[in-house]
Coordinates of all heavy atoms in Angstrom, one line a residue:
V1 N 14.8 -12.6 -15.5 CA 16.1 -12.7 -15.0 C 16.8 -13.8 -15.7 O 16.2 -14.9 -15.9 CB 16.2 -13.0 -13.5 CG1 17.6 -13.1 -13.0 CG2 15.4 -12.0 -12.7
E2 N 18.1 -13.7 -16.1 CA 18.9 -14.8 -16.6 C 20.2 -14.8 -15.9 O 20.9 -13.8 -15.8 CB 19.2 -14.5 -18.1 CG 20.1 -15.5 -18.8 CD 19.5 -16.9 -18.7 OE1 18.6 -17.3 -19.4 OE2 20.0 -17.7 -17.8
T3 N 20.5 -15.9 -15.3 CA 21.8 -16.1 -14.5 C 22.8 -17.0 -15.2 O 23.8 -17.3 -14.7 CB 21.5 -16.5 -13.1 OG1 21.0 -17.9 -13.2 CG2 20.5 -15.6 -12.4
F4 N 22.5 -17.5 -16.4 CA 23.3 -18.4 -17.2 C 23.9 -19.6 -16.4 O 25.0 -19.9 -16.5 CB 24.5 -17.5 -17.7 CG 24.0 -16.3 -18.5 CD1 23.9 -15.1 -17.9 CD2 23.7 -16.5 -19.8 CE1 23.5 -14.0 -18.5 CE2 23.2 -15.3 -20.5 CZ 23.1 -14.1 -19.8
G5 N 23.0 -20.1 -15.5 CA 23.3 -21.3 -14.7 C 24.2 -21.0 -13.5 O 24.7 -22.0 -12.9
T6 N 24.4 -19.8 -13.2 CA 25.2 -19.5 -12.0 C 24.5 -19.1 -10.7 O 25.0 -18.8 -9.7 CB 26.2 -18.3 -12.3 OG1 25.4 -17.1 -12.4 CG2 26.9 -18.5 -13.6
S7 N 23.2 -19.2 -10.8 CA 22.3 -18.8 -9.6 C 22.4 -19.9 -8.5 O 22.5 -21.1 -8.7 CB 20.8 -18.7 -10.0 OG 20.0 -18.5 -8.9
K8 N 22.4 -19.3 -7.2 CA 22.5 -20.2 -6.1 C 21.1 -20.5 -5.6 O 20.9 -21.4 -4.6 CB 23.3 -19.5 -4.9 CG 24.6 -18.8 -5.3 CD 25.6 -19.8 -6.0 CE 26.9 -19.1 -6.1 NZ 27.0 -18.0 -7.1
I9 N 20.1 -19.9 -6.1 CA 18.7 -20.1 -5.7 C 17.8 -20.2 -6.9 O 18.2 -20.0 -8.0 CB 18.1 -19.0 -4.8 CG1 18.2 -17.7 -5.5 CG2 19.0 -18.9 -3.4 CD1 17.6 -16.5 -4.7
S10 N 16.5 -20.6 -6.7 CA 15.6 -20.8 -7.9 C 15.3 -19.5 -8.6 O 15.3 -18.4 -8.0 CB 14.4 -21.5 -7.4 OG 13.6 -20.7 -6.6
Y11 N 14.9 -19.7 -9.8 CA 14.4 -18.5 -10.6 C 13.2 -17.8 -9.9 O 13.2 -16.6 -9.8 CB 14.0 -18.9 -12.0 CG 13.4 -17.8 -12.9 CD1 14.3 -17.1 -13.6 CD2 12.1 -17.6 -12.9 CE1 13.8 -16.1 -14.4 CE2 11.5 -16.5 -13.7 CZ 12.4 -15.7 -14.5 OH 12.0 -14.8 -15.2
D12 N 12.2 -18.6 -9.4 CA 11.1 -18.0 -8.8 C 11.5 -17.3 -7.5 O 10.9 -16.2 -7.2 CB 10.0 -19.2 -8.5 CG 9.4 -19.7 -9.7 OD1 9.4 -19.1 -10.7 OD2 8.8 -20.9 -9.5
K13 N 12.4 -17.7 -6.7 CA 12.9 -17.1 -5.6 C 13.5 -15.7 -5.9 O 13.3 -14.7 -5.2 CB 13.9 -18.0 -4.9 CG 14.4 -17.3 -3.5 CD 13.3 -17.2 -2.5 CE 13.9 -16.8 -1.1 NZ 12.8 -16.5 -0.1
I14 N 14.3 -15.6 -7.0 CA 14.8 -14.4 -7.4 C 13.8 -13.3 -7.8 O 13.9 -12.2 -7.4 CB 15.8 -14.6 -8.7 CG1 17.0 -15.5 -8.2 CG2 16.4 -13.3 -9.2 CD1 17.9 -15.8 -9.5
I15 N 12.8 -13.8 -8.6 CA 11.7 -12.9 -9.0 C 11.0 -12.4 -7.7 O 10.6 -11.2 -7.6 CB 10.7 -13.6 -9.9 CG1 11.4 -13.9 -11.3 CG2 9.5 -12.7 -10.1 CD1 11.8 -12.7 -12.0
D16 N 10.8 -13.3 -6.7 CA 10.1 -12.9 -5.5 C 10.9 -11.8 -4.7 O 10.4 -10.8 -4.2 CB 9.8 -14.1 -4.6 CG 8.7 -15.0 -5.0 OD1 7.9 -14.5 -5.9 OD2 8.7 -16.2 -4.6
I17 N 12.2 -12.0 -4.7 CA 13.1 -11.1 -4.1 C 13.0 -9.7 -4.8 O 13.0 -8.7 -4.1 CB 14.6 -11.6 -4.0 CG1 14.7 -12.8 -3.0 CG2 15.5 -10.4 -3.6 CD1 16.0 -13.4 -3.0
I18 N 13.1 -9.7 -6.1 CA 13.0 -8.5 -6.8 C 11.7 -7.7 -6.6 O 11.7 -6.5 -6.3 CB 13.2 -8.7 -8.4 CG1 14.6 -9.2 -8.7 CG2 12.9 -7.4 -9.2 CD1 14.7 -9.7 -10.1
N19 N 10.6 -8.4 -6.5 CA 9.3 -7.8 -6.3 C 9.2 -7.3 -4.9 O 8.5 -6.2 -4.7 CB 8.2 -8.8 -6.6 CG 8.0 -9.1 -8.1 OD1 8.4 -8.3 -8.9 ND2 7.5 -10.3 -8.4
D20 N 9.8 -8.0 -3.9 CA 9.8 -7.5 -2.6 C 10.7 -6.3 -2.2 O 10.4 -5.4 -1.4 CB 10.1 -8.7 -1.6 CG 9.1 -9.8 -1.6 OD1 8.0 -9.5 -2.0 OD2 9.4 -10.9 -1.2
V21 N 11.8 -6.3 -2.9 CA 12.9 -5.3 -2.5 C 12.9 -4.1 -3.4 O 13.2 -3.0 -2.9 CB 14.3 -6.0 -2.6 CG1 15.4 -5.0 -2.3 CG2 14.3 -7.1 -1.6
F22 N 12.4 -4.2 -4.6 CA 12.6 -3.1 -5.6 C 11.2 -2.7 -6.1 O 10.4 -3.5 -6.5 CB 13.4 -3.5 -6.8 CG 14.9 -3.8 -6.4 CD1 15.2 -5.1 -6.2 CD2 15.8 -2.8 -6.3 CE1 16.6 -5.4 -5.8 CE2 17.1 -3.1 -6.0 CZ 17.5 -4.4 -5.7
D23 N 10.9 -1.4 -6.1 CA 9.7 -0.8 -6.8 C 10.2 -0.3 -8.1 O 10.9 0.7 -8.1 CB 9.1 0.3 -5.9 CG 7.8 0.8 -6.4 OD1 7.5 0.6 -7.6 OD2 7.0 1.3 -5.6
L24 N 9.7 -0.9 -9.2 CA 10.3 -0.6 -10.5 C 9.3 0.3 -11.3 O 9.4 0.4 -12.5 CB 10.6 -1.9 -11.3 CG 11.7 -2.7 -10.6 CD1 12.0 -4.0 -11.3 CD2 13.0 -1.8 -10.5
R25 N 8.3 1.0 -10.7 CA 7.5 2.0 -11.3 C 8.3 3.2 -11.6 O 9.2 3.5 -10.7 CB 6.3 2.2 -10.5 CG 5.3 1.1 -10.4 CD 4.2 1.4 -9.4 NE 4.6 1.5 -8.0 CZ 3.8 1.8 -7.0 NH1 2.5 2.0 -7.2 NH2 4.3 1.9 -5.8
P26 N 8.1 3.9 -12.7 CA 9.0 5.1 -13.0 C 9.1 6.1 -11.9 O 10.2 6.6 -11.6 CB 8.4 5.7 -14.2 CG 7.7 4.5 -14.9 CD 7.2 3.6 -13.8
A27 N 7.9 6.5 -11.2 CA 8.0 7.5 -10.2 C 8.9 7.0 -9.0 O 9.6 7.7 -8.4 CB 6.6 7.8 -9.8
A28 N 8.8 5.7 -8.7 CA 9.5 5.1 -7.6 C 11.0 5.1 -7.9 O 11.9 5.4 -7.0 CB 9.0 3.7 -7.2
I29 N 11.4 4.7 -9.2 CA 12.8 4.7 -9.6 C 13.3 6.1 -9.5 O 14.4 6.4 -8.9 CB 12.8 4.2 -11.0 CG1 12.4 2.7 -11.1 CG2 14.3 4.4 -11.6 CD1 12.3 2.2 -12.5
I30 N 12.6 7.1 -10.0 CA 13.1 8.5 -9.9 C 13.3 9.0 -8.5 O 14.3 9.6 -8.2 CB 12.0 9.4 -10.6 CG1 12.0 9.2 -12.1 CG2 12.4 10.9 -10.4 CD1 10.9 9.8 -12.9
E31 N 12.4 8.6 -7.6 CA 12.5 9.1 -6.2 C 13.7 8.3 -5.5 O 14.5 8.9 -4.8 CB 11.2 8.8 -5.4 CG 11.3 9.2 -4.0 CD 10.0 9.0 -3.2 OE1 9.1 8.3 -3.8 OE2 9.9 9.6 -2.1
Q32 N 13.7 7.0 -5.6 CA 14.7 6.2 -4.9 C 16.1 6.5 -5.4 O 17.1 6.5 -4.6 CB 14.4 4.7 -5.2 CG 13.2 4.2 -4.5 CD 12.8 2.8 -4.9 OE1 13.2 1.8 -4.2 NE2 12.2 2.6 -6.1
L33 N 16.3 6.7 -6.7 CA 17.6 7.0 -7.2 C 17.9 8.5 -7.4 O 19.0 9.0 -7.8 CB 17.8 6.4 -8.6 CG 17.7 4.8 -8.6 CD1 17.9 4.3 -10.0 CD2 18.6 4.2 -7.6
N34 N 17.0 9.4 -7.0 CA 17.1 10.8 -7.0 C 17.6 11.3 -8.3 O 18.6 12.0 -8.4 CB 18.1 11.2 -5.8 CG 18.1 12.7 -5.6 OD1 17.2 13.4 -6.0 ND2 19.1 13.2 -4.9
L35 N 16.8 11.1 -9.3 CA 17.2 11.3 -10.7 C 16.8 12.7 -11.2 O 17.3 13.0 -12.3 CB 16.6 10.2 -11.6 CG 17.0 8.8 -11.3 CD1 16.4 7.8 -12.3 CD2 18.6 8.6 -11.4
R36 N 16.0 13.5 -10.5 CA 15.7 14.8 -11.0 C 16.7 15.8 -10.6 O 16.5 16.8 -9.9 CB 14.3 15.2 -10.5 CG 13.2 14.3 -11.0 CD 11.8 15.0 -10.7 NE 10.7 14.2 -11.0 CZ 10.1 14.1 -12.2 NH1 10.6 14.8 -13.2 NH2 9.0 13.3 -12.3
R37 N 18.0 15.6 -11.0 CA 19.1 16.6 -10.7 C 20.1 16.4 -11.9 O 20.2 15.4 -12.6 CB 19.6 16.3 -9.4 CG 20.1 14.8 -9.1 CD 20.3 14.5 -7.7 NE 20.5 13.1 -7.5 CZ 21.8 12.6 -7.1 NH1 22.8 13.5 -7.0 NH2 22.0 11.3 -7.0
P38 N 21.0 17.4 -11.9 CA 21.9 17.5 -13.0 C 23.2 16.6 -12.9 O 24.3 17.0 -12.5 CB 22.3 18.9 -13.1 CG 22.2 19.4 -11.7 CD 21.0 18.7 -11.2
I39 N 23.0 15.3 -13.1 CA 24.1 14.4 -12.9 C 24.5 13.6 -14.1 O 25.3 12.7 -14.1 CB 23.6 13.2 -11.8 CG1 22.4 12.5 -12.2 CG2 23.4 13.9 -10.5 CD1 22.0 11.4 -11.4

């Protein structure tokens, strides 16, 4: 993550939030964003 000095919280906290909230494995992305359709 790069916030260019505009972050309100620490870098480590942002990474922890991303890991807790988002599953960034391809199958999870495809399912969460419903990508197997003609959009």
Side-chain angles (χ1 to χ4, degrees):
V1 183
E2 177 59 75
T3 64
F4 306 96
T6 68
S7 175
K8 315 302 190 292
I9 60 176
S10 70
Y11 178 87
D12 290 342
K13 181 67 173 176
I14 298 174
I15 293 295
D16 287 343
I17 289 173
I18 293 172
N19 290 334
D20 289 344
V21 175
F22 299 94
D23 188 340
L24 298 175
R25 294 174 293 178
I29 294 170
I30 290 168
E31 180 179 14
Q32 291 171 100
L33 299 182
N34 193 15
L35 297 180
R36 293 193 189 274
R37 54 197 175 106
I39 59 173

